Amino acid sequence: MIKFLDLQKINLQYQEEIETKILEVFRSGWYLMGTELSSFEKNLSNYIGSKHAIGVANGLDALRLILRAYIELGFMSPGDEIIVPSNTYIASILAISDNKLIPVLVEPDINTYNIDISKIEEKITPKTKGILIVHLQGRVVFSEELKKTAERHNLKIIEDNAQAIGAEWQGLKSGNLGDSAGFSFYPGKNLGALGDAGAITTNNDDLAKAIRTLANYGSNQKYVNIYKGLNSRLDEIQAAVLDIKLKYIDTENKIRRTIAKHFINSITNPEIILPEYPENEKEHVWHVFVIRSKKRQALQDYLSNKGIQTIIHYPIPPHQQEAYKEWNHLSFPISEKIHEEVLSLPISPVMTNEDIEKIISELNDFK
Ligand SMILES: *Cc1c(COP(=O)(O)O)cnc(C)c1O
């Protein structure tokens, strides 16, 4: 069977290095807020090009903490509005509503699946304080127009970079394009830990300080609390593993690009709509390879019978979730169409050529 993502094989590429390091951390007796975390934070900020990188417990926490810090610093207040794509993983939106901010959904561009930047301005009101962009599927969404819109209305640009570590826009890494960015190192992400992990990057000293304090119970001096904070830490073992895997992320992303290009050049079945290969290939790290089909269910069943595992990212749009009952009556036709038609094919840095060729030929034989 061709797995959707073979995590065991991905991590066993670095077996010796990772096992040695984990044993070292185990034997050291120091498990939180130590040298592994500071080393990873330093290497991550170097990699992204940002002044600060802060390890936290997971990607949702990263986004929650960014927004919470903007509230504590007085840039936002509960009840303010944050623009967010209607086509995203639910966590982007949960981070907003968790802070009692109001998510304002904007439709995606059907060709990139990312927020349609030209539709942002019309959704801005006096209450709008930020734009949470999501580099969905690993593809950067950014433009001069977006930057100008944010400047004109004094909005923070927050990047959800959970799916796009390593992607670049005009020589800058995603995670260093806006005012702050949240990362997830969930095991299945392009840079995956062996459990939950996340990070925040920013160039703003005050924001970084507020986030570190908020993530530490609201305290920056032991037993003195300035905020009603949280506990959100990236532990030493996860930091150590991520520090090792960060060295290989560019190589892995390059393999993903090669596979994506080959899929696009070789899948010719008219029943299948292929993703766009961006003119500047660095703008995409192919976290997932998403095709569309009017016959999605039949296609998924067919591939499953041929031993090819696929996943739907995602079956239900956020505005139709029970958790957001207040939006269930709304209509976001582009987002709905995407959710009805998408199917993610296996793509990973450890796929064999036989796997890749089998996926292509089975897809081309689908009727
Ligand atoms: C994975 C993901 C998150 C959440 O990250 P966790 O580490 O699972 O909390 C947020 N946003 C997007 C777009 C994601 O893909």
Side-chain angles (χ1 to χ4, degrees):
M1 200 210 18
I2 303 176
K3 285 189 188 164
F4 178 71
L5 187 67
D6 191 338
L7 281 180
Q8 182 185 45
K9 194 170 173 190
I10 288 176
N11 288 322
L12 285 178
Q13 295 178 100
Y14 319 115
Q15 177 169 13
E16 212 181 284
E17 214 177 341
I18 291 175
E19 286 182 355
T20 304
K21 195 73 201 186
I22 289 178
L23 190 60
E24 189 187 303
V25 175
F26 167 62
R27 288 179 175 169
S28 78
W30 195 279
Y31 307 117
L32 287 168
M33 308 303 251
T35 52
E36 298 303 331
L37 177 64
S38 47
S39 167
F40 175 62
E41 287 180 339
K42 189 165 145 276
N43 290 327
L44 181 64
S45 70
N46 281 343
Y47 179 76
I48 297 298
S50 62
K51 193 163 172 198
H52 303 277
I54 303 157
V56 296
N58 56 66
L60 175 56
D61 270 10
L63 297 170
R64 289 167 69 206
L65 283 160
I66 288 170
L67 293 166
R68 184 63 193 282
Y70 283 131
I71 292 174
E72 297 294 353
L73 293 172
F75 290 112
M76 297 172 186
S77 317
D80 284 342
E81 295 168 3
I82 307 292
I83 306 265
V84 65
S86 57
N87 182 50
T88 183
Y89 181 54
I90 196 78
S92 322
I93 297 173
L94 291 173
I96 300 172
S97 39
D98 184 66
N99 279 291
K100 307 278 186 284
L101 295 160
I102 315 292
V104 174
L105 307 184
V106 171
E107 282 269 66
D109 175 334
I110 189 75
N111 297 310
T112 65
Y113 306 114
N114 271 325
I115 194 167
D116 186 337
I117 291 172
S118 72
K119 291 180 180 160
I120 291 178
E121 185 113 38
E122 67 201 54
K123 295 286 184 107
I124 294 173
T125 76
K127 287 204 156 264
T128 310
K129 294 294 159 63
I131 305 171
L132 201 167
I133 51 173
V134 184
H135 307 302
L136 201 70
Q137 304 177 359
R139 179 166 187 167
V140 171
V141 58
F142 206 76
S143 69
E144 288 300 334
E145 184 193 352
L146 175 70
K147 235 160 70 175
K148 287 203 189 99
T149 304
E151 276 163 21
R152 198 159 47 240
H153 298 274
N154 197 20
L155 310 177
K156 299 292 178 196
I157 298 179
I158 301 136
E159 301 174 70
D160 181 340
N161 200 32
Q163 300 191 359
I165 188 166
E168 281 181 29
W169 181 82
Q170 301 196 352
L172 290 171
K173 286 256 165 35
S174 62
N176 200 24
L177 300 171
D179 295 286
S180 49
F183 293 68
S184 167
F185 308 117
Y186 174 82
K189 298 287 158 76
N190 285 26
L191 178 61
L194 308 182
D196 275 315
I200 293 156
T201 55
T202 181
N203 291 312
N204 185 304
D205 296 344
D206 294 335
L207 185 73
K209 192 169 171 208
I211 288 167
R212 282 198 188 277
T213 307
L214 278 166
N216 183 43
Y217 316 100
S219 168
N220 54 21
Q221 186 190 337
K222 209 164 179 145
Y223 306 129
V224 178
N225 297 75
I226 57 172
Y227 307 125
K228 299 182 189 82
L230 326 166
N231 167 14
S232 189
R233 293 185 285 238
L234 174 57
D235 69 70
E236 289 287 283
I237 287 182
Q238 298 307 338
V241 171
L242 289 167
D243 216 11
I244 291 168
K245 291 182 72 181
L246 181 62
K247 295 185 290 185
Y248 306 106
I249 188 68
D250 286 345
T251 307
E252 292 201 352
N253 282 341
K254 219 164 153 185
I255 299 171
R256 286 173 183 270
R257 277 187 198 119
T258 306
I259 297 170
K261 194 171 212 170
H262 187 46
F263 276 160
I264 289 171
N265 289 335
S266 314
I267 299 168
T268 53
N269 190 329
E271 297 290 346
I272 292 165
I273 299 170
L274 292 164
E276 193 184 87
Y277 196 84
E279 211 170 301
N280 179 353
E281 66 173 6
K282 294 200 165 167
E283 290 178 10
H284 210 324
V285 292
W286 301 95
H287 171 56
V288 281
F289 188 93
V290 176
I291 60 173
R292 283 194 355 255
S293 174
K294 299 264 181 230
K295 302 178 180 166
R296 178 183 59 191
Q297 195 51 59
L299 179 58
Q300 185 172 38
D301 295 344
Y302 164 87
L303 290 171
S304 168
N305 286 331
K306 302 285 183 186
I308 299 169
Q309 212 178 41
T310 57
I311 296 187
I312 296 168
H313 294 106
Y314 301 94
I316 307 172
H319 72 279
Q320 291 179 340
Q321 296 285 356
E322 197 181 335
Y324 289 101
K325 279 188 207 68
E326 63 275 32
W327 295 339
N328 288 177
H329 67 285
L330 298 178
S331 147
F332 292 93
I334 302 172
S335 200
E336 284 159 30
K337 181 182 169 65
I338 290 170
H339 284 78
E340 276 161 27
E341 295 182 354
V342 289
L343 189 66
S344 302
L345 303 182
I347 186 165
S348 96
V350 295
M351 278 167 87
T352 64
N353 286 333
E354 296 86 88
D355 289 349
I356 296 166
E357 295 310 322
K358 179 174 163 69
I359 292 167
I360 293 167
S361 71
E362 299 294 7
L363 278 168
N364 285 339
D365 287 345
F366 174 71
K367 300 234 162 43

